[in-house]
PDB file of all heavy atoms in Angstrom:
ATOM      1  N   TYR A  18     169.025 161.940 215.181  1.00 97.00           N
ATOM      2  CA  TYR A  18     168.585 160.589 214.792  1.00 97.00           C
ATOM      3  C   TYR A  18     169.763 159.961 213.942  1.00 97.00           C
ATOM      4  O   TYR A  18     169.714 158.850 213.571  1.00 97.00           O
ATOM      5  CB  TYR A  18     167.327 160.487 214.113  1.00 97.00           C
ATOM      6  CG  TYR A  18     166.196 160.733 215.068  1.00 97.00           C
ATOM      7  CD1 TYR A  18     165.387 161.957 214.934  1.00 97.00           C
ATOM      8  CD2 TYR A  18     165.833 159.735 216.019  1.00 97.00           C
ATOM      9  CE1 TYR A  18     164.354 162.156 215.858  1.00 97.00           C
ATOM     10  CE2 TYR A  18     164.816 160.014 216.904  1.00 97.00           C
ATOM     11  CZ  TYR A  18     164.048 161.192 216.770  1.00 97.00           C
ATOM     12  OH  TYR A  18     162.955 161.417 217.691  1.00 97.00           O
ATOM     13  N   PHE A  54     159.131 162.291 210.168  1.00 97.00           N
ATOM     14  CA  PHE A  54     157.761 162.749 210.309  1.00 97.00           C
ATOM     15  C   PHE A  54     157.748 163.943 211.405  1.00 97.00           C
ATOM     16  O   PHE A  54     157.058 164.896 211.169  1.00 97.00           O
ATOM     17  CB  PHE A  54     156.802 161.696 210.695  1.00 97.00           C
ATOM     18  CG  PHE A  54     156.669 160.738 209.463  1.00 97.00           C
ATOM     19  CD1 PHE A  54     157.143 159.451 209.490  1.00 97.00           C
ATOM     20  CD2 PHE A  54     156.087 161.195 208.388  1.00 97.00           C
ATOM     21  CE1 PHE A  54     157.017 158.566 208.469  1.00 97.00           C
ATOM     22  CE2 PHE A  54     155.870 160.296 207.295  1.00 97.00           C
ATOM     23  CZ  PHE A  54     156.368 159.118 207.340  1.00 97.00           C
ATOM     24  N   PRO A  55     158.516 163.856 212.455  1.00 96.00           N
ATOM     25  CA  PRO A  55     158.543 165.041 213.312  1.00 96.00           C
ATOM     26  C   PRO A  55     159.192 166.229 212.566  1.00 96.00           C
ATOM     27  O   PRO A  55     158.793 167.375 212.777  1.00 96.00           O
ATOM     28  CB  PRO A  55     159.573 164.591 214.474  1.00 96.00           C
ATOM     29  CG  PRO A  55     159.409 163.190 214.501  1.00 96.00           C
ATOM     30  CD  PRO A  55     159.157 162.706 213.050  1.00 96.00           C
ATOM     31  N   GLN A  58     156.555 167.729 210.235  1.00 96.00           N
ATOM     32  CA  GLN A  58     155.532 168.510 211.046  1.00 96.00           C
ATOM     33  C   GLN A  58     156.201 169.796 211.444  1.00 96.00           C
ATOM     34  O   GLN A  58     155.456 170.941 211.374  1.00 96.00           O
ATOM     35  CB  GLN A  58     155.163 167.748 212.277  1.00 96.00           C
ATOM     36  CG  GLN A  58     154.116 166.611 211.925  1.00 96.00           C
ATOM     37  CD  GLN A  58     153.856 165.748 213.235  1.00 96.00           C
ATOM     38  OE1 GLN A  58     154.735 165.360 213.930  1.00 96.00           O
ATOM     39  NE2 GLN A  58     152.562 165.550 213.460  1.00 96.00           N
ATOM     40  N   PRO A 356     145.117 156.702 219.249  1.00 58.00           N
ATOM     41  CA  PRO A 356     144.438 155.421 218.952  1.00 58.00           C
ATOM     42  C   PRO A 356     144.603 154.390 220.090  1.00 58.00           C
ATOM     43  O   PRO A 356     145.600 154.423 220.781  1.00 58.00           O
ATOM     44  CB  PRO A 356     145.238 154.976 217.681  1.00 58.00           C
ATOM     45  CG  PRO A 356     146.561 155.610 217.771  1.00 58.00           C
ATOM     46  CD  PRO A 356     146.219 156.970 218.430  1.00 58.00           C
ATOM     47  N   MET A 387     157.235 147.362 216.053  1.00 96.00           N
ATOM     48  CA  MET A 387     157.342 148.703 216.482  1.00 96.00           C
ATOM     49  C   MET A 387     158.733 148.940 216.957  1.00 96.00           C
ATOM     50  O   MET A 387     159.276 148.101 217.776  1.00 96.00           O
ATOM     51  CB  MET A 387     156.356 149.078 217.506  1.00 96.00           C
ATOM     52  CG  MET A 387     156.471 150.445 218.012  1.00 96.00           C
ATOM     53  SD  MET A 387     155.919 151.696 216.848  1.00 96.00           S
ATOM     54  CE  MET A 387     154.134 151.541 217.029  1.00 96.00           C
ATOM     55  N   GLY A 388     159.395 150.019 216.519  1.00 96.00           N
ATOM     56  CA  GLY A 388     160.653 150.346 217.067  1.00 96.00           C
ATOM     57  C   GLY A 388     160.535 151.088 218.423  1.00 96.00           C
ATOM     58  O   GLY A 388     159.450 151.456 218.858  1.00 96.00           O
ATOM     59  N   ALA A 389     161.756 151.328 218.953  1.00 95.00           N
ATOM     60  CA  ALA A 389     161.875 152.134 220.221  1.00 95.00           C
ATOM     61  C   ALA A 389     163.231 152.772 220.100  1.00 95.00           C
ATOM     62  O   ALA A 389     164.112 152.381 219.384  1.00 95.00           O
ATOM     63  CB  ALA A 389     161.664 151.322 221.392  1.00 95.00           C
ATOM     64  N   MET A 390     163.356 153.886 220.916  1.00 95.00           N
ATOM     65  CA  MET A 390     164.566 154.638 220.911  1.00 95.00           C
ATOM     66  C   MET A 390     165.163 154.574 222.335  1.00 95.00           C
ATOM     67  O   MET A 390     164.554 155.132 223.328  1.00 95.00           O
ATOM     68  CB  MET A 390     164.319 156.048 220.414  1.00 95.00           C
ATOM     69  CG  MET A 390     165.609 156.648 219.925  1.00 95.00           C
ATOM     70  SD  MET A 390     166.334 155.999 218.405  1.00 95.00           S
ATOM     71  CE  MET A 390     165.050 156.342 217.234  1.00 95.00           C
ATOM     72  N   HIS A 450     160.277 147.896 220.452  1.00 93.00           N
ATOM     73  CA  HIS A 450     159.215 148.033 221.426  1.00 93.00           C
ATOM     74  C   HIS A 450     158.859 146.686 222.075  1.00 93.00           C
ATOM     75  O   HIS A 450     159.111 145.644 221.446  1.00 93.00           O
ATOM     76  CB  HIS A 450     157.909 148.567 220.752  1.00 93.00           C
ATOM     77  CG  HIS A 450     156.788 148.821 221.587  1.00 93.00           C
ATOM     78  ND1 HIS A 450     155.858 147.916 221.845  1.00 93.00           N
ATOM     79  CD2 HIS A 450     156.461 149.968 222.252  1.00 93.00           C
ATOM     80  CE1 HIS A 450     154.877 148.399 222.711  1.00 93.00           C
ATOM     81  NE2 HIS A 450     155.277 149.723 222.862  1.00 93.00           N
ATOM     82  N   TRP A 479     161.190 154.131 213.767  1.00 97.00           N
ATOM     83  CA  TRP A 479     160.637 155.098 214.741  1.00 97.00           C
ATOM     84  C   TRP A 479     159.816 154.430 215.729  1.00 97.00           C
ATOM     85  O   TRP A 479     159.461 153.242 215.698  1.00 97.00           O
ATOM     86  CB  TRP A 479     159.870 156.127 214.004  1.00 97.00           C
ATOM     87  CG  TRP A 479     159.110 155.911 212.772  1.00 97.00           C
ATOM     88  CD1 TRP A 479     159.419 156.339 211.493  1.00 97.00           C
ATOM     89  CD2 TRP A 479     157.939 155.071 212.632  1.00 97.00           C
ATOM     90  NE1 TRP A 479     158.511 155.808 210.617  1.00 97.00           N
ATOM     91  CE2 TRP A 479     157.563 155.036 211.186  1.00 97.00           C
ATOM     92  CE3 TRP A 479     157.140 154.249 213.535  1.00 97.00           C
ATOM     93  CZ2 TRP A 479     156.476 154.365 210.753  1.00 97.00           C
ATOM     94  CZ3 TRP A 479     156.027 153.614 213.011  1.00 97.00           C
ATOM     95  CH2 TRP A 479     155.702 153.586 211.622  1.00 97.00           C
ATOM     96  N   ASP A 480     159.376 155.257 216.743  1.00 94.00           N
ATOM     97  CA  ASP A 480     158.779 154.659 217.998  1.00 94.00           C
ATOM     98  C   ASP A 480     157.246 154.858 217.951  1.00 94.00           C
ATOM     99  O   ASP A 480     156.665 155.330 217.044  1.00 94.00           O
ATOM    100  CB  ASP A 480     159.337 155.241 219.222  1.00 94.00           C
ATOM    101  CG  ASP A 480     159.188 156.733 219.316  1.00 94.00           C
ATOM    102  OD1 ASP A 480     158.292 157.255 218.669  1.00 94.00           O
ATOM    103  OD2 ASP A 480     159.956 157.361 220.090  1.00 94.00           O
ATOM    104  N   MET A 481     156.621 154.396 219.010  1.00 92.00           N
ATOM    105  CA  MET A 481     155.192 154.484 219.124  1.00 92.00           C
ATOM    106  C   MET A 481     154.481 155.840 219.086  1.00 92.00           C
ATOM    107  O   MET A 481     153.406 156.028 218.589  1.00 92.00           O
ATOM    108  CB  MET A 481     154.666 153.732 220.440  1.00 92.00           C
ATOM    109  CG  MET A 481     155.246 154.425 221.702  1.00 92.00           C
ATOM    110  SD  MET A 481     154.736 153.608 223.155  1.00 92.00           S
ATOM    111  CE  MET A 481     153.046 153.998 223.301  1.00 92.00           C
ATOM    112  N   TYR A 482     155.334 156.933 219.447  1.00 91.00           N
ATOM    113  CA  TYR A 482     154.803 158.245 219.458  1.00 91.00           C
ATOM    114  C   TYR A 482     154.782 158.745 218.004  1.00 91.00           C
ATOM    115  O   TYR A 482     153.843 159.450 217.617  1.00 91.00           O
ATOM    116  CB  TYR A 482     155.712 159.124 220.285  1.00 91.00           C
ATOM    117  CG  TYR A 482     155.731 158.656 221.734  1.00 91.00           C
ATOM    118  CD1 TYR A 482     156.954 158.037 222.208  1.00 91.00           C
ATOM    119  CD2 TYR A 482     154.718 158.854 222.634  1.00 91.00           C
ATOM    120  CE1 TYR A 482     156.950 157.562 223.457  1.00 91.00           C
ATOM    121  CE2 TYR A 482     154.739 158.301 223.907  1.00 91.00           C
ATOM    122  CZ  TYR A 482     155.870 157.674 224.356  1.00 91.00           C
ATOM    123  OH  TYR A 482     155.956 157.216 225.637  1.00 91.00           O
ATOM    124  N   VAL A 483     155.715 158.394 217.191  1.00 95.00           N
ATOM    125  CA  VAL A 483     155.670 158.753 215.776  1.00 95.00           C
ATOM    126  C   VAL A 483     154.633 157.976 215.073  1.00 95.00           C
ATOM    127  O   VAL A 483     153.874 158.550 214.236  1.00 95.00           O
ATOM    128  CB  VAL A 483     157.063 158.516 215.111  1.00 95.00           C
ATOM    129  CG1 VAL A 483     156.952 158.740 213.599  1.00 95.00           C
ATOM    130  CG2 VAL A 483     158.172 159.444 215.675  1.00 95.00           C
ATOM    131  N   ALA A 484     154.504 156.650 215.389  1.00 94.00           N
ATOM    132  CA  ALA A 484     153.437 155.810 214.806  1.00 94.00           C
ATOM    133  C   ALA A 484     152.084 156.425 215.030  1.00 94.00           C
ATOM    134  O   ALA A 484     151.196 156.572 214.191  1.00 94.00           O
ATOM    135  CB  ALA A 484     153.512 154.421 215.323  1.00 94.00           C
ATOM    136  N   GLU A 485     151.848 156.878 216.318  1.00 90.00           N
ATOM    137  CA  GLU A 485     150.531 157.496 216.636  1.00 90.00           C
ATOM    138  C   GLU A 485     150.387 158.812 215.864  1.00 90.00           C
ATOM    139  O   GLU A 485     149.230 158.992 215.311  1.00 90.00           O
ATOM    140  CB  GLU A 485     150.536 157.715 218.140  1.00 90.00           C
ATOM    141  CG  GLU A 485     149.202 158.336 218.680  1.00 90.00           C
ATOM    142  CD  GLU A 485     149.252 158.529 220.134  1.00 90.00           C
ATOM    143  OE1 GLU A 485     149.691 157.625 220.874  1.00 90.00           O
ATOM    144  OE2 GLU A 485     148.957 159.607 220.556  1.00 90.00           O
ATOM    145  N   SER A 486     151.379 159.555 215.681  1.00 92.00           N
ATOM    146  CA  SER A 486     151.269 160.871 214.967  1.00 92.00           C
ATOM    147  C   SER A 486     150.873 160.740 213.515  1.00 92.00           C
ATOM    148  O   SER A 486     150.335 161.582 212.923  1.00 92.00           O
ATOM    149  CB  SER A 486     152.529 161.651 215.180  1.00 92.00           C
ATOM    150  OG  SER A 486     153.598 161.167 214.295  1.00 92.00           O
ATOM    151  N   ILE A 487     151.306 159.628 212.900  1.00 95.00           N
ATOM    152  CA  ILE A 487     151.066 159.473 211.504  1.00 95.00           C
ATOM    153  C   ILE A 487     149.814 158.533 211.159  1.00 95.00           C
ATOM    154  O   ILE A 487     149.561 158.193 210.075  1.00 95.00           O
ATOM    155  CB  ILE A 487     152.348 158.961 210.749  1.00 95.00           C
ATOM    156  CG1 ILE A 487     152.646 157.531 211.139  1.00 95.00           C
ATOM    157  CG2 ILE A 487     153.528 159.901 210.860  1.00 95.00           C
ATOM    158  CD1 ILE A 487     153.783 156.954 210.275  1.00 95.00           C
ATOM    159  N   GLY A 488     149.143 158.128 212.221  1.00 92.00           N
ATOM    160  CA  GLY A 488     147.942 157.418 212.002  1.00 92.00           C
ATOM    161  C   GLY A 488     147.947 155.886 212.139  1.00 92.00           C
ATOM    162  O   GLY A 488     147.084 155.213 211.657  1.00 92.00           O
ATOM    163  N   PHE A 489     148.915 155.340 212.875  1.00 93.00           N
ATOM    164  CA  PHE A 489     148.988 153.841 213.024  1.00 93.00           C
ATOM    165  C   PHE A 489     148.369 153.567 214.477  1.00 93.00           C
ATOM    166  O   PHE A 489     148.678 154.245 215.383  1.00 93.00           O
ATOM    167  CB  PHE A 489     150.461 153.392 213.005  1.00 93.00           C
ATOM    168  CG  PHE A 489     150.918 153.017 211.639  1.00 93.00           C
ATOM    169  CD1 PHE A 489     151.860 153.824 210.963  1.00 93.00           C
ATOM    170  CD2 PHE A 489     150.487 151.876 211.019  1.00 93.00           C
ATOM    171  CE1 PHE A 489     152.372 153.393 209.696  1.00 93.00           C
ATOM    172  CE2 PHE A 489     150.885 151.481 209.819  1.00 93.00           C
ATOM    173  CZ  PHE A 489     151.855 152.268 209.182  1.00 93.00           C
ATOM    174  N   LYS A 491     148.856 150.322 216.861  1.00 92.00           N
ATOM    175  CA  LYS A 491     149.622 149.079 216.968  1.00 92.00           C
ATOM    176  C   LYS A 491     148.806 148.031 217.642  1.00 92.00           C
ATOM    177  O   LYS A 491     147.806 148.343 218.376  1.00 92.00           O
ATOM    178  CB  LYS A 491     150.898 149.374 217.792  1.00 92.00           C
ATOM    179  CG  LYS A 491     150.774 149.761 219.219  1.00 92.00           C
ATOM    180  CD  LYS A 491     152.070 150.078 219.893  1.00 92.00           C
ATOM    181  CE  LYS A 491     151.906 150.785 221.208  1.00 92.00           C
ATOM    182  NZ  LYS A 491     151.173 150.013 222.270  1.00 92.00           N
ATOM    183  N   LYS A 646     147.890 164.218 229.160  1.00 59.00           N
ATOM    184  CA  LYS A 646     147.812 163.912 227.789  1.00 59.00           C
ATOM    185  C   LYS A 646     146.855 164.895 227.152  1.00 59.00           C
ATOM    186  O   LYS A 646     145.757 164.524 226.779  1.00 59.00           O
ATOM    187  CB  LYS A 646     147.377 162.417 227.632  1.00 59.00           C
ATOM    188  CG  LYS A 646     148.315 161.403 228.209  1.00 59.00           C
ATOM    189  CD  LYS A 646     147.773 159.991 228.183  1.00 59.00           C
ATOM    190  CE  LYS A 646     148.759 159.078 228.889  1.00 59.00           C
ATOM    191  NZ  LYS A 646     148.227 157.662 228.850  1.00 59.00           N
TER     192      LYS A 646
END
Side-chain angles (χ1 to χ4, degrees):
Y18 290 109
F54 295 109
Q58 285 177 310
M387 177 71 77
M390 202 65 66
H450 184 271
W479 29 249
D480 60 22
M481 59 184 286
Y482 303 105
V483 174
E485 183 177 311
S486 74
I487 66 174
F489 270 109
K491 63 182 170 63
K646 299 174 182 176

